[in-house]
Amino acid sequence: MKRKIIAGILIIVGLAIMSAPLYWRWSGNRRNEQMVQEIEQIIEQEAENEEKEDHGQTALEAAISKEDAATLAQTEVIGLIEIAALDIKYAVLEGAGSYELSCGIGHIPDTAGIGETGNCVLAGHNGSRHGTYFTNLKTLKEGDVIKLTDKKGSRYFYEVESMEVVDPYDNSVKNQGEGKVLTLLTCENSGTMRLTVRCSLKEAVE
């Protein structure tokens, strides 16, 4: 009898361990989908706010719940990133700490903003229990398009120019300049190195 009980417990524990990664992936995808919906709603309402305000209350304030507003305030979602070649669409969050990178793609502080002059650096996990993120970044090819949309609805289309693996402490990936460029950053070689994808702005629709 004891053996049967122990065997049953071991089976339950084994199933729990096996299902944990699936739960984390489902949870991460669900959280990102919510953020994407919220930022898309913000973009849509922002456009309406430019045309009309309702007695001092913007359409955005009326559209999202207090819970959603609190979530956005905590994570500071600044836009969307879409890469058709990788079939991904994620919220872009300000900051690149563990929390931000578990929710979406992080914007490295002190680098240019979306569509701004300088080098906009975005970081994402390579292999995560929460989602795909930048796992397949190395499969990008020269000429592939990265679409960034800011909270105002302005769209910026960058094209991949080059790819390089660098030391994890190489701060040159954040170097700024006079052009408008985008650098995508993720881990490489089991986290001992960093993969960088350099892109240049080709079109802006504001």
Side-chain angles (χ1 to χ4, degrees):
M1 178 64 71
K2 289 184 178 179
R3 290 182 177 179
K4 290 183 178 180
I5 293 175
I6 293 174
I9 292 174
L10 291 176
I11 291 173
I12 293 173
V13 171
L15 290 174
I17 293 174
M18 292 175 61
S19 62
L22 296 176
Y23 169 77
W24 285 112
R25 178 60 60 92
W26 172 84
S27 177
N29 288 338
R30 182 173 179 273
R31 180 165 49 180
N32 177 68
E33 287 173 0
Q34 290 175 333
M35 287 189 175
V36 168
Q37 290 175 359
E38 288 164 6
I39 189 63
E40 286 179 336
Q41 187 177 34
I42 286 178
I43 291 169
E44 180 180 350
Q45 296 298 339
E46 184 66 27
E48 294 182 12
N49 291 342
E50 293 180 357
E51 299 178 0
K52 182 179 180 180
E53 290 190 358
D54 182 15
H55 302 294
Q57 181 186 43
T58 66
L60 171 60
E61 292 170 334
I64 63 176
S65 67
K66 291 182 179 180
E67 180 180 353
D68 289 343
T71 299
L72 288 171
Q74 179 184 4
T75 57
E76 196 173 353
V77 180
I78 62 172
L80 287 174
I81 180 171
E82 299 175 69
I83 307 179
L86 303 183
D87 192 27
I88 62 172
K89 182 179 184 179
Y90 284 107
V92 179
L93 293 77
E94 182 58 42
S98 58
Y99 179 79
E100 288 81 12
L101 295 186
S102 72
C103 298
I105 303 303
H107 173 251
I108 304 293
D110 301 324
T111 68
I114 296 174
E116 293 181 354
T117 298
N119 180 18
C120 176
V121 184
L122 303 182
H125 277 309
N126 179 355
S128 170
R129 61 186 182 183
H130 296 287
T132 303
Y133 301 115
F134 281 168
T135 300
N136 300 316
L137 200 64
K138 64 170 61 177
T139 65
L140 286 176
K141 299 179 177 59
E142 184 178 346
D144 282 342
V145 176
I146 288 83
K147 176 184 175 183
L148 296 181
T149 306
D150 65 19
K151 292 171 70 172
K152 295 181 179 179
S154 298
R155 292 164 291 162
Y156 301 92
F157 299 87
Y158 297 82
E159 284 188 3
V160 173
E161 290 190 339
S162 62
M163 190 176 300
E164 183 181 10
V165 175
V166 300
D167 185 273
Y169 303 104
D170 186 352
N171 286 322
S172 67
V173 298
K174 298 189 294 183
N175 286 352
Q176 301 297 298
E178 296 182 358
K180 294 183 178 182
V181 300
L182 169 69
T183 299
L184 305 180
L185 178 68
T186 193
C187 291
E188 178 70 3
N189 194 26
S190 301
T192 61
M193 302 293 283
R194 298 291 182 268
L195 174 70
T196 64
V197 178
R198 189 80 163 183
C199 315
S200 61
L201 182 66
K202 295 300 181 183
E203 182 182 3
V205 182
E206 301 180 346

